[in-house]
């Protein structure tokens, strides 16, 4: 701009100042991480959250609890998907996921295999008689889809190789795991900590231990480390992964031995996870939702349920304000945290309070207090409540189309305990789980998608920042 044009120069200065003041007054970024154990429904949760927030921005009353938190849905003037910008994290693509769910033969998405990110911009009218003078608030809601397997590595960060080996092998030798780990454990019988540090041996041990972890995951077990053995992420199977637990691993292994090689890999893996999976990732998100498939664990039996309980308890302790993640990252993370039991539509209304109570029992103190909450939800509702007749009386049930079938039927899942079940529960299982296919939805989700309890979760985690 020519300095000889003082009027234009002054106009430019004023406009720049107004834009800067407007951004300072009205622009906020709110960062939310969504994670959970395998098959908990993270992808469906994010699809439903995005679709329903976008519909809410079109004046559709799809998230009533969140609307009440805002002081009325009319305060939300618009919701738009924000540009992906120059982020190095892959973009979470909403449209193709909605199309797949709404297809001729709808199917649930595959498990999360990598980080992904998306963001929405919410424009909110300010309350009060002078609100129009200040302008609308613009809140950018940044959402990170975070593989839950990686969270299970948090407890590893506080262990050395010898302690991790002893704990992992004790777990693999337990009755619930020994069968699926037999090939690895049998091979391990011919390996010694004092053997030479052979790269081929390290790779073979990793492959056998990973095969055991995959088999255990497919049986419904969830306490499985290292998490990147199951979900390596975008960097693939880097050499830092090629370690496994050794019997009687020494605290100070001799140089050039197998124990020294594996201990070095274990240490490098911990450092890499802290630097690249947690630092710069979770420390940027002060709000977090952790999803848990409690019903699937109940159905899988006592071993799977107790394994899930152990995993979610360890994650909950790590995410406490004074937990390992806060100490590691040098800040109290997260400020708002919600645990949610998913697939709540697979049980009738009367059982949903029991489902939330059971998860609360598993989470313990980490789910209590200011900024902490526990919920039961169905991000995409696939059933309706109904009743079935049993022994001459009406029993609460759900009705939907089972996966792989085409005819709707009613299903009585049985009892959901309010707290960790005792041995008698497993002697005569009181709960059965039926998987249902996704409901018929509009591929553009113009009026949102059906859910149960999603609005309550979002009100709890985001409401204070949007009010």
């Amino acid at each position: 701009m020519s300095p000889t044009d003082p009027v234009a120069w002054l106009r430019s200065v004023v406009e720049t100042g107004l834009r800067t003041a407007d951004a300072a007054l009205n622009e906020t970024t709110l960062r939310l991480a969504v994670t959970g154990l395998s098959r908990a429904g993270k992808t469906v949760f994010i699809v439903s959250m995005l679709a329903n927030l976008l519909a809410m921005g079109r004046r559709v009353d799809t998230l009533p609890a969140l609307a009440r938190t805002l002081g009325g849905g009319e305060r939300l003037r618009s919701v738009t998907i924000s540009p992906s910008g120059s982020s190095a994290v892959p973009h979470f693509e909403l449209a193709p996921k909605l199309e797949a769910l709404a297809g001729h033969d709808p199917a649930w998405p595959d498990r999360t295999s990598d980080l992904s990110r998306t963001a929405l911009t919410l424009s909110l009218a300010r309350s009060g008689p002078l609100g129009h003078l200040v302008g609308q608030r613009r809140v950018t809601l940044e959402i990170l889809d975070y593989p839950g397997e990686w969270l299970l590595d948090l407890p590893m960060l506080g262990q050395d190789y010898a302690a991790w080996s002893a704990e992992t092998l004790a777990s693999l030798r337990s009755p619930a795991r020994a069968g699926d780990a037999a090939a690895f454990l049998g091979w391990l019988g011919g390996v010694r900590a004092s053997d030479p540090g052979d790269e081929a041996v390290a790779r073979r041990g990793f492959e056998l231990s990973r095969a055991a972890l995959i088999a255990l995951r497919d049986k419904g077990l969830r306490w499985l480390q290292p998490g990147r053995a199951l979900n390596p992420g975008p960097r693939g199977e880097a050499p830092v992964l090629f370690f496994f637990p050794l019997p009687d691993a020494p605290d100070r292994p001799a140089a050039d031995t197998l124990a020294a090689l594996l201990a070095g890999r274990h240490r490098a893996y911990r450092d890499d996870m802290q630097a690249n999976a947690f630092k710069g990732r979770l420390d940027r998100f002060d709000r977090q939702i952790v999803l848990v498939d409690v019903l699937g664990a109940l159905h899988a039996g006592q071993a799977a349920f107790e394994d899930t309980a152990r995993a979610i308890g360890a994650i909950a302790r790590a995410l406490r304000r004074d937990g390992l993640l806060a100490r590691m990252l040098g800040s109290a993370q997260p400020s708002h945290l919600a645990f949610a039991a998913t697939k709540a539509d697979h049980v009738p209304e009367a059982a949903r309070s029991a489902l939330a109570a059971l998860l609360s029992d598993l989470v313990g103190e980490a789910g209590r207090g200011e900024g902490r909450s526990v919920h039961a939800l169905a991000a995409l509702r696939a059933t309706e409540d109904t009743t079935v007749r049993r022994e001459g009386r009406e029993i609460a049930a759900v009705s939907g189309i089972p996966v792989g079938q085409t005819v709707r039927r009613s299903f009585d899942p049985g009892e959901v305990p309010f707290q960790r079940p005792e041995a008698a529960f497993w002697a005569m299982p009181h709960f059965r789980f039926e998987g249902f296919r996704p409901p018929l939805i509009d591929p553009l989700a113009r009026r949102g998608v059906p859910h149960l309890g999603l609005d309550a979760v979002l009100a709890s985690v985001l409401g204070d920042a949007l009010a």
Side-chain angles (χ1 to χ4, degrees):
M1 180 181 300
S2 170
T4 61
D5 189 352
V7 174
W9 174 84
L10 181 60
R11 183 185 300 113
S12 174
V13 169
V14 170
E15 289 175 351
T16 300
L18 289 175
R19 285 195 298 269
T20 302
D22 177 69
L25 283 171
N26 294 321
E27 293 185 1
T28 305
T29 297
L30 192 60
R31 297 184 172 96
L32 170 67
V34 178
T35 188
L37 301 181
S38 180
R39 307 308 296 167
K42 297 181 291 295
T43 300
V44 173
F45 179 92
I46 294 175
V47 166
S48 180
M49 175 172 60
L50 294 175
N52 284 302
L53 282 170
L54 287 166
M56 189 178 174
R58 294 190 291 269
R59 302 290 192 273
V60 181
D61 187 21
T62 187
L63 298 168
L66 182 61
R68 288 194 296 272
T69 301
L70 300 182
E74 65 278 0
R75 280 195 58 227
L76 186 61
R77 297 301 173 83
S78 67
V79 180
T80 56
I81 295 179
S82 307
S84 55
S86 57
S87 173
V89 178
H91 185 66
F92 185 95
E93 298 290 349
L94 174 62
K97 293 179 174 62
L98 277 173
E99 289 174 4
L101 284 166
H104 177 70
D105 187 18
W108 299 106
D110 293 332
R111 61 170 51 95
T112 299
S113 60
D114 192 5
L115 293 167
S116 62
R117 174 197 173 277
T118 190
L120 297 177
T121 298
L122 289 72
S123 296
L124 295 146
R126 290 188 179 274
S127 56
L130 300 180
H132 66 283
L133 297 177
V134 182
Q136 293 184 11
R137 291 181 60 207
R138 297 180 296 280
V139 179
T140 298
L141 177 60
E142 185 179 338
I143 303 155
L144 181 76
D145 183 6
Y146 194 90
E149 291 91 345
W150 297 1
L151 276 184
L152 291 176
D153 287 342
L154 274 171
M156 285 180 65
L157 302 184
Q159 292 178 306
D160 62 18
Y161 175 68
W164 176 79
S165 287
E167 181 180 298
T168 301
L169 286 174
S171 180
L172 288 175
R173 289 166 176 156
S174 67
R177 296 174 177 239
D180 293 287
F184 170 63
L185 294 173
W187 176 85
L188 199 59
V191 175
R192 298 289 179 271
S194 57
D195 289 347
D198 189 327
E199 180 64 39
V201 174
R203 180 66 183 260
R204 179 60 176 159
F206 163 75
E207 290 172 347
L208 287 169
S209 63
R210 178 183 59 181
L213 294 179
I214 291 172
L216 291 167
R217 180 187 66 186
D218 292 345
K219 283 177 58 176
L221 276 73
R222 295 293 178 258
W223 181 258
L224 304 168
Q225 294 173 330
R228 273 176 59 196
L230 293 167
N231 189 348
R235 288 174 289 171
E237 292 182 0
V240 72
L241 280 170
F242 301 153
F243 66 93
F244 57 89
L246 270 177
D248 303 318
D251 291 330
R252 296 178 181 274
D256 300 322
T257 61
L258 182 62
L261 173 63
L262 299 181
R265 291 271 170 80
H266 175 268
R267 183 169 55 253
Y269 179 83
R270 289 186 313 162
D271 293 345
D272 183 67
M273 288 299 287
Q274 179 170 339
N276 297 303
F278 300 126
K279 269 189 178 299
R281 304 291 192 193
L282 291 185
D283 56 342
R284 297 182 62 242
F285 291 80
D286 70 337
R287 292 161 197 262
Q288 184 158 358
I289 297 171
V290 180
L291 306 176
V292 188
D293 182 8
V294 178
L295 295 178
L298 270 180
H299 175 70
Q302 184 174 7
F305 181 83
E306 290 178 351
D307 208 64
T308 298
R310 179 184 181 189
I312 201 62
I315 290 172
R317 289 189 295 275
L319 293 176
R320 286 176 53 172
R321 287 192 174 91
D322 60 349
L324 179 61
L325 186 63
R327 297 195 300 274
M328 181 184 70
L329 299 179
S331 58
Q333 299 288 337
S335 63
H336 285 67
L337 172 64
F339 291 88
T342 58
K343 306 174 186 176
D345 58 331
H346 289 48
V347 297
E349 182 179 9
R352 290 168 200 148
S353 58
L355 177 59
L358 176 58
L359 179 57
S360 181
D361 185 49
L362 301 183
V363 168
E365 291 184 2
R368 306 186 189 110
E370 184 178 357
R372 301 294 190 265
S373 58
V374 178
H375 309 262
L377 69 83
L380 184 58
R381 184 174 186 172
T383 71
E384 298 294 336
D385 286 343
T386 187
T387 59
V388 296
R389 196 161 189 82
R390 184 201 296 164
E391 298 177 355
R393 61 193 184 96
E394 296 291 324
I395 302 295
V398 293
S399 172
I401 301 175
V403 171
Q405 301 181 29
T406 58
V407 178
R408 176 176 291 271
R409 74 179 185 87
S410 298
F411 176 71
D412 169 21
E415 176 186 345
V416 176
F418 280 84
Q419 56 188 10
R420 298 168 195 248
E422 298 180 351
F425 179 92
W426 305 111
M428 287 186 60
H430 297 285
F431 179 79
R432 296 178 298 130
F433 185 82
E434 178 76 72
F436 294 97
R437 64 185 288 178
L440 294 175
I441 62 171
D442 170 13
L444 298 178
R446 283 163 287 209
R447 299 193 63 79
V449 297
H451 66 86
L452 277 174
L454 175 66
D455 54 332
V457 175
L458 296 182
S460 175
V461 175
L462 306 176
D464 70 301
L466 300 178

